[in-house]
Amino acid sequence: MSNRGITSGVVYVHSSPSAVCPHVEWAISGTLGVRADLKWTAQPAAPGQLRTECAWTGDAGTGGKLSSALRAWPMLRFEVTEEPSPGVDGERFCFAPGLGLWRARTSANGDIVVNEDQLRSLVGNRGVEAIAHRVSELVGSAWDDALEPFRRAGDGAPVTWLHRVG
């Protein structure tokens, strides 16, 4: 792996049934090319569910690959972040049952970035209510609302560090 295009991020699996946990580990392992031996803890916001998080390093675009691998299990709640790297914006992916996958570019401090084409489309020929709804979609408000109780329940949970090989 060269230093060009190397980035890092975090995978937060906010809730998973215990039977799916090994599949999550295999998906992360297969994507990163390194064995993911994750530390799972109870998810108080969803009794009977487990949560984990792991920091990763890898090539730019790995966040999208991790999200694609994890969305194979529609009962999961997860987030994947990817830090900006030279010439590549950061990204944030969120998945919640019933909402599906949401993706946005992020700035160096983690804010959601809305580009000029999105803004032009937003203000096209819409009323104030439609604009407010679309802004809410662009910044992922529904995903934040759905995932926030699970995020708080994970405060202080152990983090596993994974580094892509090869």
Side-chain angles (χ1 to χ4, degrees):
M1 180 168 34
S2 72
N3 280 342
R4 185 169 178 218
I6 300 302
T7 189
S8 61
V10 181
V11 174
Y12 303 92
V13 179
H14 294 299
S15 69
S16 173
S18 61
V20 178
C21 294
H23 300 283
V24 169
E25 291 189 21
W26 296 330
I28 293 171
S29 296
T31 302
L32 295 176
V34 62
R35 184 168 181 253
D37 186 17
L38 304 177
K39 310 292 185 262
W40 294 90
T41 59
Q43 173 50 275
Q49 301 276 309
L50 299 173
R51 67 161 322 282
T52 192
E53 58 189 71
C54 64
W56 58 269
T57 57
D59 296 333
T62 298
K65 292 175 185 174
L66 286 163
S67 296
S68 292
L70 292 174
R71 71 187 284 202
W73 296 278
M75 73 291 295
L76 295 178
R77 287 177 181 84
F78 69 84
E79 291 180 81
V80 177
T81 64
E82 179 171 316
E83 296 295 322
S85 57
V88 181
D89 292 327
E91 291 186 294
R92 180 173 156 217
F93 301 85
C94 297
F95 187 90
L99 292 174
L101 186 66
W102 172 82
R103 174 199 165 271
R105 293 181 2 206
T106 57
S107 66
N109 70 349
D111 285 345
I112 301 304
V113 175
V114 179
N115 69 40
E116 66 182 85
D117 287 336
Q118 290 172 308
L119 289 173
R120 283 189 181 108
S121 170
L122 172 72
V123 297
N125 52 8
R126 299 179 181 188
V128 173
E129 212 172 286
I131 290 173
H133 177 74
R134 182 67 179 126
V135 167
S136 181
E137 288 177 338
L138 288 171
V139 299
S141 295
W143 286 263
D144 280 338
D145 292 345
L147 296 175
E148 189 59 29
F150 296 88
R151 292 175 183 143
R152 274 186 261 137
D155 288 346
V159 178
T160 303
W161 290 88
L162 302 174
H163 301 280
R164 187 173 183 157
V165 297

